[in-house]
Amino acid sequence: MLLASKSAAAQLMLDEFDWPGVLRAADDLAADFGRVTGVNGTVTLAKHTKPPVTLNASVIYNLTHSNTFARSGAKSTGKGGVIIAGTLGRVPLIDDLVKSKKIDVSEISGKWEAYMWQTVEKPMPGVDEALVLIGSDKRGTIYSLYDVSEQIGVSPWYWFADVPPRTKAAIYTQKNVRIIQGTPSVKYRGFFINDEAPALTGWMNVNYPKGPYGSAFIADFYQHVFELLLRLRANYFWPASWGSMFNVDDPRNQPLADEYGIVMGTSHTEPFMRATNEWTTFGHGPWQWNVNNESIIPFLRYGVERAKPYESIITMAMRGSGDTALSSSIETTELEDIVDTQREILQQVYGNLSVPQMWCLYKEVQAYYNMGMKVADDITLLWADDNWGNVRQLPVGNETERSGGAGVYFHVDYVGDPRNYKWINTVQLEKIWEQMNFAYQRDARDIWIVNVGDIKPEEIPISFFLDLAYDASSISANTVSAWTKQWSSQQWGPDAADDVADVIERLTKLSNLRKFEQVDENLYSVLNYNEADDILAQWQDLAADAQKINGTLPASATASYFEMVLQPALAGANLYDLYISTAKNQMYAIQGRNSANSMAARVLDDFNTDHQYTVDYNTLLNGKWNHMMDQTHIGYLGYWQQPMRQSTPGLHYVQTLERGLAGDMGVSVEASLGVVPGDDQYHPNSGESLVLPPMSPYGASGQRYIEIFNRGVNDFNWNISTDPFVKVSKAAGSISPKPEADSQTRIYITIDWDKCPPGSGMSVLNVSSSRDYGTQYSMPSVMIPYNHTSVPSSFKEGFVEDDAHISMDAAHYTRTAKGSGSGSNAPHYINLPNYGRTASGAMALMPVLAPSLSPRTAPALEYDFYTFTNTSSTKPANVTFYLSPSLNTSPKRPLKYAYAIDDGKPDTAAYVCDNCNDDKTAVESSQYLPAGWETAVGNNAWSSSTNATIPAGQHTLKFWALEPGVVLMKVVVDLGGVRPSYLGPPESRIIGK
C-alpha cells in the first residue's frame, strides 16, 4: 500500500478526543513525511459535538503559534495512503474498530505503553485500506507514531544532531501487516541534564532569552528535549538544575512536559519537585531539617501542590545543601522523620499515597539504607552507580518483592572526584550493556535514568542506554556491534554503516582506556613496549579512517557525522598526540636531543589544533551549536575540577646553538633513558654501552629498536656493525642538526634465529660517527642479550615466556572446564567482545543470578603457558589479574575469584572490599567507596596481584570467577621482567593456534 510519495500526501486520521501529546506527535509524523518525500502529510481530526473532557494543549499552541493539530497538505498534492492512529479506550475512532471486530487488541489491552500496527480493509466509510496504529495508552500511541517516523527514515536526532532524513520518492507498507510492541522492559526511562555549564548553558544563553531569575532554560528549548525523549521511546526526565529552576524560570515548562506526555522528576538532591535554586532564591534559613523544618515543610508542600495536576515521580528524602551529605554521620532517625513527614504531606495533598515516589540511594545516602533505615515498600529504590558507570548495589533477597521496585541512576558524564569527565564521550557501549543487563536481571526495572551532561556530545550512549531500557532482550553481549551498525545505518545510511560502526567501536574503546581529562604526558610509556607510539598510531589510524568516511558521505550528512563521530576522532587523536609529544619532548630534553625543540613545537601546534576543532564545532551550521564545545579539557593539575583556562603541560627546550659535551651523535635504546656516548644517571658512569631488553624467538613484536639522533651543531654520518645473525632495518645514514629536519632515526633490530647460536648470549652492536665523540668519549655500543631457547615438542599450545614475563588476554584461554550444574542456567563464561582494555574483549561469569561459587563448583578458564625462568620462594613470580572496575552489588557477596597454578591449592581473592570478615561480608564505609577505587576507575580496571613460585617448564593457570559481576580482562605473570607501563605488557606469543 502506498503511504506517500513526491506527489501524494500521507493522510493521518486521528480523533480530537485523543491526548494532546498524541495529536502533536501525529503532526510531527506528517512533517516527517515531508522531510522524506518533500510533501507533508495531512492530519484530519474526527470532531465531536460534546467532547467528554477538555484537554489542555495551550502551551503547545503557544509555542507552535497554532490553535489546532489539524494539518493541511499542499493543494496540488494527491492523496496518499491512510494512517489511522489513536489511543485504545480513549477515542471512538479506535474503539469503534475494536467493537466491529476489525482489529484484535487483546495483546496490548491494559498494558503499559504498548502498541500495535495493523493494516485494515475498509476501516471506515470512504477508506478502502488503512494502516492502523493503536496505543494501549497515550505514550504507546506516541511511540507508534514515532516508530513510523524512524521506519520511513527520520532519525530521533534530526534536530539535536542534524541527522538528515533519508529521502525517498515513495513510501509503501506491506499488506497484512500486524506488529505488536509490548510493554517496555523498564517502566520509567529517561535522562538527566546536568553539569550543564559551560557548554549547554553557554549555548542556551545565546539562543533563548533569560527568565526573570537569569536562566534561559525555557519551554522553547525543552520542547526539543521532550520530543527527543519521546522519539527515543523514553518517558522520564530530570531537568537542568545548576543555574535554573524548571518550574519557576518558565511557567510553561511543567505543563508543556505533561502535554507532551513526559513524566517529570527531580534529581537525587532535589526533593518534592523543587529545584535546589528555589531554596536559595525563596527559602528562609538553612537547608537543615533538624533546625529549620518549620520552613522546609511548607516549601516541600508547595512543590507537590504545584506538581499535583501533572504526571510526576516524587523524589523523597533529603540531602544537604549543594549536593552534599545531610550530615557528617549517618542519622537514620532524622531521615526517617523527614520521609515520614513527606509521606504525610503526600497523603494530605493527593488524598492517598498512590503517586509514584522514588528515593535515590546516591553516595552517602546508600549507607542510610544499609544501616537499617526503614523505607515504605511502595517507594522505588533508585540505586546509583559510582558516577563512573559501576553500579554500587542492587536488590538482594526479598528486596525484589517490594511493590515500589528498584531502578538505577547511571552516568555518562560527571563532575567530581577523581576528575570531571565532560568533554566528549568516553563510555563504551559494551560497558553500559554489562552493567545495565546486570541491573535488569537483578530486578532493577522500574526506573533507569542516565546523567548525560549537556546531551551533546553523548548522542551515542544516550541512544544505546534508552534502547536497552526499552527492550532489554533486543541487545546481548554479542549484538552490541550489530546495534552499532543498525544505529549508524539510521544516521548515515546502510552504505556507510559498517565503516562508521567500526570507527565508533574503536573510538569508544580508545576513549574508554582513560577519560580524556585524566590523560597526561606521564600516562603511556614512551620507553616500554612501544606503548605510547602504538596507542598514538591507533588514534591516528582511527582519525584517518573517520576522515576517509567523511569524504564518502553526501554533503547533507557531514555536519551530523562531524558532531558525533569525526570531531571526537580528530580531537581525541590530537589530544593524544599533544600529550605523547609532550612526553617525548621531556625525554628528548633529558637525552639532549635537538628534536626536543621540534617536539615542543608540535605540542604547541596540537594545542592550537585543539582550539581549531573547538571552533569548527562551534561554528558548524552557521553557529547552530555555538559554545557546545567550550568545555576545558587540557591543563588539569591534580584537582578534580575543570581548569578555568586551558594550558599546556610543561615543555623543555635544548640549546641548539652549542654542541653537546659528548659530540654530535647520541644513541639510545628501547626501555632506557640513558644515552651513549656520555654520562647520565641511567647507565654506568662513563660507560660507552647500553643494554637492550633481551630478545628471544618468542618475542611478541619480534624486534627491538635503538635511536640515533643529533645533539650538536654538525651533520654526521653514522654506521652500524654487528654480528651476522643480527639484522638492522638500516645500517648507515646521515643526520642533520636542525630540529625541524630529520634529526633522529629509529633502527629496528631483529635476529635471524636460524643463524643465531643456541642458548643465551650477548651480541654487540657498534655505532660509529663521522664526527668525534666530544673531548673524552669514544664510539658507543649497544649490548643485545639473546635467549635462543625453544619449547619442547610436548608443549602443543599456549603462551610462551619472553622478556621474563607472560601476558595473556582473558579471551584467549586454552580451554574451559565445567563447574557444577547443567543446562542453560549452569554457571559459564561469555566473551564480551570489544570490552575493556584488550583487543579481544573480556570474559564474564554468567548467569547474573548464579549463586556464590567455589573452585569446586565454578567453571574454570584455563591458560597453558611455558616458562624458561625459574622462580623461588625468595624470588617469586607475581601474578596480576586485570578485572573490570565493577563493585560489590550484593553487600554479603563481595566480588571474588580464585586461581591456581597447575594442581596447586586455589588462592581466593576478594578484590573489591573495604573490610572483609572471613571473606564473607564486604562492608562499605558510610560515605566512601572501596579502597583503591580512584585508581580503579581511572585505570578502568581493578588489578589484583599475588605471588607464586613457578619453576621453569609447562604450566596451566586456572581461573575461577566465584561471583557474577567478575569480568576478567587480562593476566600477567611477572617472572622479573615486567617494566612500567599503563596497559601492561602486550599479549605474549601463543603457539599452536
Side-chain angles (χ1 to χ4, degrees):
M1 179 177 73
L2 175 69
L3 287 180
S5 71
K6 290 183 176 181
S7 59
Q11 303 175 73
L12 279 68
M13 296 184 176
L14 290 94
D15 196 303
E16 68 171 346
F17 280 9
D18 222 325
W19 299 96
V22 169
L23 303 181
R24 190 205 55 77
D27 188 73
D28 280 350
L29 176 56
D32 289 344
F33 274 110
R35 293 183 174 102
V36 173
T37 68
V39 177
N40 288 344
T42 64
V43 179
T44 303
L45 301 182
K47 299 291 184 179
H48 305 277
T49 56
K50 294 182 179 180
V53 178
T54 301
L55 295 176
N56 188 348
S58 59
V59 181
I60 296 176
Y61 291 153
N62 173 275
L63 288 167
T64 60
H65 307 291
S66 173
N67 60 0
T68 179
F69 291 106
R71 175 191 282 267
S72 299
K75 293 181 180 179
S76 59
T77 300
K79 291 184 178 181
V82 174
I83 297 176
I84 299 172
T87 306
L88 185 63
R90 176 75 192 179
V91 294
L93 187 64
I94 296 300
D95 292 347
D96 288 347
L97 288 173
V98 176
K99 290 176 184 177
S100 64
K101 297 185 178 181
K102 291 186 176 181
I103 195 163
D104 178 5
V105 296
S106 59
E107 293 178 88
I108 67 168
S109 180
K111 294 186 177 180
W112 176 265
E113 296 181 348
Y115 66 85
M116 63 181 295
W117 292 10
Q118 184 171 321
T119 50
V120 178
E121 294 184 357
K122 301 188 182 305
M124 60 177 61
V127 177
D128 291 332
E129 186 178 20
L131 175 63
V132 180
L133 315 179
I134 303 177
S136 63
D137 53 23
K138 64 181 175 184
R139 280 186 292 273
T141 312
I142 291 170
Y143 299 150
S144 74
L145 290 160
Y146 283 137
D147 195 352
V148 177
S149 291
E150 280 197 61
Q151 297 294 331
I152 67 174
V154 177
S155 167
W157 294 99
Y158 80 94
W159 190 86
F160 255 106
D162 308 296
V163 177
R166 292 165 60 185
T167 58
K168 299 177 180 68
I171 300 170
Y172 296 85
T173 185
Q174 294 178 336
K175 284 186 172 293
N176 302 318
V177 168
R178 182 176 170 84
I179 298 172
I180 304 295
Q181 179 62 53
T183 295
S185 298
V186 177
K187 186 172 185 180
Y188 295 105
R189 315 160 304 281
F191 59 68
F192 174 25
I193 294 177
N194 193 27
D195 312 328
E196 61 269 22
L200 182 58
T201 300
W203 178 81
M204 295 288 297
N205 289 342
V206 298
N207 283 281
Y208 300 104
K210 292 183 178 180
Y213 298 98
S215 171
F217 282 85
I218 61 175
D220 303 73
F221 165 68
Y222 279 124
Q223 66 175 328
H224 297 294
V225 176
F226 299 153
E227 181 185 338
L228 175 66
L229 282 162
L230 293 169
R231 284 183 182 265
L232 292 170
R233 296 179 294 278
N235 59 9
Y236 182 47
F237 180 58
W238 292 358
S241 61
W242 267 19
S244 57
M245 299 173 281
F246 181 75
N247 285 283
V248 176
D249 294 325
D250 188 341
R252 300 175 299 169
N253 283 344
Q254 173 68 82
L256 179 69
D258 196 68
E259 290 173 22
Y260 268 65
I262 296 296
V263 181
M264 287 303 302
T266 48
S267 73
H268 57 85
T269 191
E270 297 174 306
F272 263 45
M273 304 301 292
R274 299 216 69 171
T276 295
N277 291 314
E278 289 189 67
W279 179 259
T280 58
T281 304
F282 307 114
H284 301 285
W287 181 255
Q288 191 172 339
W289 183 264
N290 59 355
V291 299
N292 194 33
N293 60 12
E294 289 187 359
S295 295
I296 295 172
I297 288 172
F299 176 83
L300 295 177
R301 179 187 296 275
Y302 177 73
V304 292
E305 288 175 341
R306 183 176 61 190
K308 182 181 178 181
Y310 311 111
E311 197 175 2
S312 308
I313 299 177
I314 307 300
T315 298
M316 303 294 287
M318 181 175 169
R319 293 189 73 214
S321 178
D323 197 9
T324 61
L326 185 63
S327 62
S328 59
S329 60
I330 303 303
E331 303 290 346
T332 57
T333 302
E334 180 181 2
L335 198 57
E336 285 176 355
D337 178 53
I338 293 171
V339 175
D340 288 344
T341 303
Q342 290 174 334
R343 300 268 285 180
E344 291 174 6
I345 295 171
L346 292 177
Q347 180 72 50
Q348 294 164 4
V349 173
Y350 286 89
N352 55 53
L353 292 172
S354 62
V355 59
Q357 302 155 59
M358 172 276 292
W359 185 33
C360 185
L361 305 177
Y362 181 70
K363 287 190 176 180
E364 83 291 338
V365 179
Q366 181 179 309
Y368 283 84
Y369 182 80
N370 288 342
M371 295 182 71
M373 178 176 163
K374 297 176 182 177
V375 184
D377 272 6
D378 60 339
I379 296 177
T380 302
L381 296 180
L382 188 67
W383 300 98
D385 70 356
D386 60 354
N387 302 303
W388 288 67
N390 305 293
V391 180
R392 295 178 67 196
Q393 194 165 315
L394 289 166
V396 296
N398 61 9
E399 289 173 346
T400 60
E401 300 171 7
R402 301 178 70 260
S403 61
V408 173
Y409 171 37
F410 196 78
H411 287 72
V412 296
D413 165 282
Y414 182 58
V415 168
D417 287 328
R419 189 158 291 180
N420 298 357
Y421 60 96
K422 299 173 61 181
W423 179 39
I424 51 183
N425 175 39
T426 55
V427 179
Q428 265 196 307
L429 303 185
E430 292 83 359
K431 173 67 175 291
I432 295 176
W433 181 86
E434 184 261 332
Q435 286 289 293
M436 298 311 297
N437 173 68
F438 200 89
Y440 183 78
Q441 299 299 334
R442 289 274 296 276
D443 286 315
R445 304 181 179 185
D446 287 87
I447 300 173
W448 283 13
I449 190 157
V450 56
N451 184 326
V452 300
D454 306 307
I455 300 179
K456 302 177 69 65
E458 305 294 346
E459 298 95 339
I460 297 172
I462 289 171
S463 295
F464 184 82
F465 182 92
L466 292 176
D467 275 2
L468 188 63
Y470 187 71
D471 187 355
S473 67
S474 67
I475 306 173
S476 69
N478 292 320
T479 61
V480 174
S481 178
W483 181 92
T484 308
K485 290 178 182 178
Q486 181 276 328
W487 186 86
S488 299
S489 178
Q490 181 188 64
Q491 317 312 316
W492 301 291
D495 292 343
D498 286 356
D499 290 338
V500 174
D502 175 67
V503 165
I504 290 173
E505 289 175 359
R506 290 156 59 197
L507 173 61
T508 54
K509 188 175 187 73
L510 287 171
S511 302
N512 185 62
L513 292 176
R514 195 168 183 90
K515 305 296 187 187
F516 289 115
E517 291 83 351
Q518 286 194 305
V519 176
D520 61 30
E521 66 273 22
N522 300 310
L523 184 64
Y524 293 99
S525 177
V526 291
L527 288 175
N528 298 319
Y529 308 119
N530 214 37
E531 183 178 60
D533 283 341
D534 282 350
I535 288 293
L536 182 57
Q538 290 180 56
W539 272 106
Q540 290 172 336
D541 288 347
L542 172 71
D545 290 345
Q547 190 75 69
K548 182 179 178 180
I549 293 169
N550 188 62
T552 69
L553 297 174
S556 60
T558 56
S560 59
Y561 181 72
F562 181 82
E563 293 168 40
M564 294 191 280
V565 180
L566 182 58
Q567 188 270 348
L570 295 176
N574 182 74
L575 187 79
Y576 266 70
D577 193 280
L578 182 150
Y579 281 120
I580 290 172
S581 295
T582 299
K584 289 181 177 179
N585 161 259
Q586 296 174 0
M587 179 177 75
Y588 292 172
I590 290 171
Q591 297 175 330
R593 302 192 196 196
N594 292 5
S595 52
N597 295 4
S598 59
M599 277 296 153
R602 181 167 179 158
V603 171
L604 296 179
D605 286 344
D606 289 340
F607 193 56
N608 291 334
T609 298
D610 177 87
H611 167 72
Q612 188 58 53
Y613 288 140
T614 297
V615 171
D616 291 346
Y617 194 110
N618 287 344
T619 58
L620 191 70
L621 299 173
N622 297 317
K624 178 180 176 180
W625 299 114
N626 189 22
H627 296 294
M628 197 60 82
M629 202 44 64
D630 283 359
Q631 179 62 54
T632 54
H633 48 277
I634 303 174
Y636 278 83
L637 297 173
Y639 178 49
W640 62 266
Q641 183 58 287
Q642 63 198 11
M644 292 297 102
R645 196 173 191 186
Q646 310 235 98
S647 60
T648 65
L651 300 175
H652 299 266
Y653 292 83
V654 299
Q655 177 54 269
T656 57
L657 301 177
E658 301 171 358
R659 191 182 191 217
L661 296 179
D664 296 287
M665 184 182 76
V667 178
S668 67
V669 300
E670 177 179 352
S672 173
L673 281 171
V675 178
V676 288
D679 289 339
D680 56 52
Q681 61 182 306
Y682 308 105
H683 77 287
N685 188 37
S686 298
E688 299 297 342
S689 65
L690 297 174
V691 182
L692 271 171
M695 300 183 70
S696 84
Y698 302 105
S701 67
Q703 62 187 16
R704 299 292 186 194
Y705 68 83
I706 67 170
E707 291 186 330
I708 306 171
F709 46 86
N710 200 308
R711 52 180 175 169
V713 296
N714 301 303
D715 293 337
F716 64 84
N717 298 323
W718 57 268
N719 186 274
I720 290 176
S721 61
T722 187
D723 288 322
F725 62 86
V726 176
K727 305 299 181 182
V728 294
S729 58
K730 189 177 181 181
S734 61
I735 292 180
S736 164
K738 297 178 181 179
E740 66 276 9
D742 187 13
S743 64
Q744 62 185 32
T745 187
R746 177 172 288 189
I747 310 299
Y748 289 98
I749 299 168
T750 57
I751 290 180
D752 185 341
W753 295 106
D754 291 335
K755 298 178 180 179
C756 179
S760 297
M762 187 79 73
S763 179
V764 179
L765 182 150
N766 293 309
V767 186
S768 63
S769 171
S770 60
R771 301 281 180 175
D772 66 70
Y773 305 105
T775 55
Q776 65 185 97
Y777 301 102
S778 58
M779 182 181 70
S781 61
V782 173
M783 312 303 291
I784 308 173
Y786 62 84
N787 298 308
H788 190 185
T789 53
S790 61
V791 299
S793 59
S794 58
F795 186 71
K796 301 297 185 183
E797 179 182 334
F799 296 88
V800 182
E801 174 194 341
D802 173 62
D803 196 9
H805 74 266
I806 296 173
S807 178
M808 302 178 280
D809 286 4
H812 293 158
Y813 53 86
T814 309
R815 72 189 69 82
T816 60
K818 291 183 178 180
S820 62
S822 60
S824 60
N825 289 325
H828 60 281
Y829 296 100
I830 65 168
N831 177 239
L832 303 178
N834 201 49
Y835 181 100
R837 292 155 54 104
T838 65
S840 55
M843 300 302 294
L845 180 66
M846 291 289 166
V848 165
L849 300 180
S852 296
L853 301 170
S854 69
R856 183 178 58 83
T857 59
L861 295 168
E862 297 185 355
Y863 301 85
D864 290 349
F865 65 96
Y866 196 93
T867 63
F868 303 104
T869 302
N870 273 306
T871 62
S872 65
S873 58
T874 58
K875 193 176 181 181
N878 178 273
V879 183
T880 299
F881 297 88
Y882 293 90
L883 304 115
S884 74
S886 303
L887 300 175
N888 297 326
T889 59
S890 298
K892 295 183 179 180
R893 294 175 60 180
L895 294 177
K896 291 190 294 185
Y897 69 85
Y899 95 100
I901 303 293
D902 301 326
D903 294 324
K905 181 181 178 181
D907 285 340
T908 299
Y911 58 95
V912 187
C913 189
D914 281 335
N915 298 293
C916 287
N917 180 13
D918 295 329
D919 277 346
K920 293 179 181 178
T921 304
V923 182
E924 191 174 66
S925 64
S926 62
Q927 297 188 34
Y928 304 102
L929 288 150
W933 170 82
E934 287 196 0
T935 300
V937 295
N939 294 344
N940 204 19
W942 291 105
S943 61
S944 177
S945 298
T946 186
N947 289 334
T949 300
I950 305 175
Q954 179 175 343
H955 302 283
T956 299
L957 183 147
K958 302 172 184 177
F959 176 89
W960 298 272
L962 304 181
E963 292 286 349
V966 173
V967 179
L968 179 65
M969 295 186 283
K970 180 175 180 174
V971 185
V972 175
V973 181
D974 182 4
L975 302 164
V978 171
R979 297 186 297 278
S981 65
Y982 177 59
L983 297 173
E987 188 171 34
S988 298
R989 184 175 167 188
I990 307 173
I991 67 169
K993 281 196 173 183

